Amino acid sequence: MGIVSLDLIEPEMILAKEVRDSSGRILLGQGAEITEKHLSLFRRWGIIELDIEGQGEEIEEGPLDPEILDEAREKMKAIFRHNNMVHPFVEALHEIVSEREARKMMRNREVQT
Amino acid sequence: MISRSLERFLNDDFELPAFPKVVLRLNQLLASKQFALSEVGDVLSRDPGLSAKVLELVNSSVYGLKTRVETVNRAVVMIGAEQVRQLVIATSVVKMFKSIPHNLIQVEDFWKHCVACGAIAKKLAELQGEEQPDRFFVAGLLHDVGRLILYLKAPEKMNEVFEKVKDGEMLFHEAERKVFGFNHAEVGFQLCRIWSLPDFFRETAGYHHNPEDAFRHHEAASLIHIADFIANALQLGSSGQKYVPLLDDFAWNRSGFTSSIAEGVVNESMEKYEEAIHVLL
């Protein structure tokens, strides 16, 4: 599964997680095959992304691109600006969130290409 | 112990949404000290919606019970009457404040942050060998509830707070104090008192930014502080804060944790987080 922006979703893709509206009502269930009609409804309802089966799975496990990881580290440094970056726990957490961010960036880039 | 500005704020004509009847009945029943466990189940089952949520949470990885619990009576036996009451209160608070539209924040994102904090806090409590790790999930859920009241009751002033933190120089709770004269943690403390929650919850909500100043529950407040720190770093939902608050030295030293716990805590809290937001939001 992987989060895919609505603009990049094509009919016949399979929903990995149900879609809910803002009040929590299920609009389309997990495992459903997406149709053109669904897509136009989602657009109207302001849904911006969906969790799609089989997207970005290899990225969840595979090695991280070192350049993207460095980019993510730099980006994540900003949210820790009030903290002492040499504190071992802050450092450990910064690395974890940077890796998560790097995977997200790799997923987004893969979907775009 | 309550500042005059905060007292005025709470006494103002803003009415807190009312708890469902079931909560009031549970409070009465448990306060009487003489009750059968089956009575707790009977009271709770009069609210089928709440009962269903409690059962779903108790059966989720958040509680991690080995056998499936099919009835609320069984849930009371398995996790305890007081734990059920706390869970019912927290679930009701989320429900009461879930669908309120707001132009400064997405209320759903707010609760995601709180659920993340709760899931992480429970994991940290298990690592510390806490006897009742479940209450840390509830404490995490409620730790920022005071901020929600600030948003709902004083949106213009919260807008000022947003202006103050925009350039990243000041932390959110510091800016609240500048604008209001008190911060969301102090409001949270008073809300937990109004809701007759045990002092454990008053202090975890009230001192999660300054655990050193707690009355009795320094360890618990420190643990919620660290859970909040991790939840902010992971950017799971948001209570409005863009930056990770400063990791408090007192809290870190008091916890006795080392940095090696980070990865395990993050990985193992994720499943609990996903399941809990599925049930609650």
Side-chain angles (χ1 to χ4, degrees):
Chain A
M1 53 198 258
I3 305 292
V4 181
S5 150
L6 194 65
D7 305 335
L8 302 165
I9 290 172
E10 287 164 12
E12 291 177 27
M13 284 181 166
I14 304 293
L15 207 53
K17 196 182 165 202
E18 78 283 349
V19 190
R20 289 167 185 261
D21 69 10
S22 55
S23 63
R25 202 176 36 185
I26 295 180
L27 300 175
L28 189 62
Q30 180 187 348
E33 187 178 303
I34 293 166
T35 63
E36 273 300 346
K37 204 172 162 195
H38 292 138
L39 288 176
S40 68
L41 280 172
F42 291 156
R43 264 176 229 122
R44 214 174 313 151
W45 286 328
I47 306 247
I48 54 165
E49 53 190 23
L50 299 174
D51 198 346
I52 297 295
E53 275 307 344
Q55 288 290 322
E57 256 155 24
E58 56 291 358
I59 288 176
E60 298 306 325
E61 303 295 327
L64 285 166
D65 179 329
E67 263 178 49
I68 295 182
L69 182 56
D70 273 344
E71 208 179 307
R73 281 194 187 113
E74 216 34 59
K75 190 173 162 194
M76 288 307 168
K77 228 182 234 170
I79 65 165
F80 286 99
R81 62 175 291 170
H82 294 281
N83 278 278
N84 171 10
M85 293 304 284
V86 297
H87 187 293
F89 189 62
V90 176
E91 207 182 347
L93 213 53
H94 173 245
E95 192 57 21
I96 291 171
V97 300
S98 299
E99 283 174 16
R100 283 166 58 94
E101 181 64 22
R103 290 205 190 274
K104 200 163 112 192
M105 288 159 76
M106 283 168 72
R107 270 199 304 272
N108 285 343
R109 283 175 204 190
E110 188 201 47
V111 170
Q112 275 161 22
T113 50
Chain B
M1 230 339 270
I2 169 167
S3 75
R4 204 165 287 168
S5 50
L6 177 53
E7 203 176 347
R8 258 203 313 273
F9 178 82
L10 288 168
N11 287 337
D12 224 5
D13 54 0
F14 176 84
E15 282 213 24
L16 287 170
F19 272 118
K21 273 202 193 103
V22 143
V23 173
L24 308 178
R25 303 212 40 160
L26 280 180
N27 284 348
Q28 282 166 355
L29 185 66
L30 268 72
S32 75
K33 305 267 182 214
Q34 288 184 318
F35 58 88
L37 287 184
S38 62
E39 286 180 82
V40 179
D42 291 344
V43 168
L44 182 52
S45 25
R46 277 179 224 161
D47 190 326
L50 260 178
S51 302
K53 290 236 177 286
V54 166
L55 278 179
E56 267 188 87
L57 276 175
V58 170
N59 282 315
S60 75
S61 61
V62 178
Y63 279 77
L65 299 178
K66 291 198 177 65
T67 50
R68 201 174 158 76
V69 176
E70 303 286 353
T71 64
V72 284
N73 274 317
R74 189 77 197 133
V76 177
V77 174
M78 294 294 285
I79 73 166
E82 175 55 25
Q83 284 69 22
V84 165
R85 185 183 76 99
Q86 292 162 7
L87 190 57
V88 167
I89 291 179
T91 309
S92 309
V93 172
V94 177
K95 193 169 164 231
M96 272 152 37
F97 293 114
K98 198 169 71 178
S99 49
I100 298 170
H102 204 282
N103 54 4
L104 289 178
I105 50 151
Q106 296 281 342
V107 177
E108 192 167 313
D109 279 343
F110 174 89
W111 286 117
K112 278 185 183 166
H113 166 71
C114 298
V115 170
C117 181
I120 294 163
K122 176 164 177 191
K123 182 67 214 163
L124 293 175
E126 285 167 358
L127 283 179
Q128 277 188 335
E130 262 286 331
E131 278 178 19
Q132 300 173 39
D134 298 338
R135 62 184 180 161
F136 284 86
F137 173 67
V138 174
L141 265 185
L142 295 175
H143 80 289
D144 265 349
V145 68
R147 182 167 284 159
L148 199 52
I149 302 300
L150 294 179
Y151 281 122
L152 296 174
K153 197 170 164 179
E156 296 85 11
K157 279 189 157 178
M158 277 307 252
N159 211 9
E160 280 178 53
V161 174
F162 268 87
E163 285 299 316
K164 282 206 187 310
V165 296
K166 212 163 58 182
D167 61 7
E169 290 298 322
M170 202 187 283
L171 278 166
F172 211 99
H173 64 278
E174 296 164 354
E176 285 169 352
R177 183 178 281 284
K178 279 240 176 334
V179 170
F180 288 93
F182 50 84
N183 66 27
H184 69 281
E186 292 161 77
V187 180
F189 182 101
Q190 295 302 332
L191 283 173
C192 290
R193 186 181 57 78
I194 294 167
W195 293 336
S196 34
L197 282 162
D199 55 1
F200 172 83
F201 296 98
R202 298 181 199 177
E203 294 198 26
T204 48
Y207 297 99
H208 69 275
H209 286 294
N210 51 331
E212 201 171 352
D213 299 331
F215 298 115
R216 293 205 302 130
H217 298 281
H218 299 93
E219 270 87 11
S222 296
L223 201 143
I224 296 296
H225 172 85
I226 295 168
D228 183 38
F229 177 83
I230 299 173
N232 272 301
L234 291 171
Q235 298 183 303
L236 300 166
S238 167
S239 66
Q241 180 126 278
K242 222 168 101 196
Y243 301 96
V244 184
L246 175 69
L247 180 67
D248 183 75
D249 280 336
F250 172 88
W252 181 250
N253 295 333
R254 191 81 179 218
S255 75
F257 288 134
T258 63
S259 60
S260 61
I261 62 152
E263 198 165 356
V265 167
V266 170
N267 291 339
E268 285 173 44
S269 314
M270 278 309 138
E271 187 193 353
K272 290 189 175 78
Y273 165 76
E274 295 284 345
E275 283 192 29
I277 55 170
H278 191 83
V279 178
L280 288 166
L281 300 180

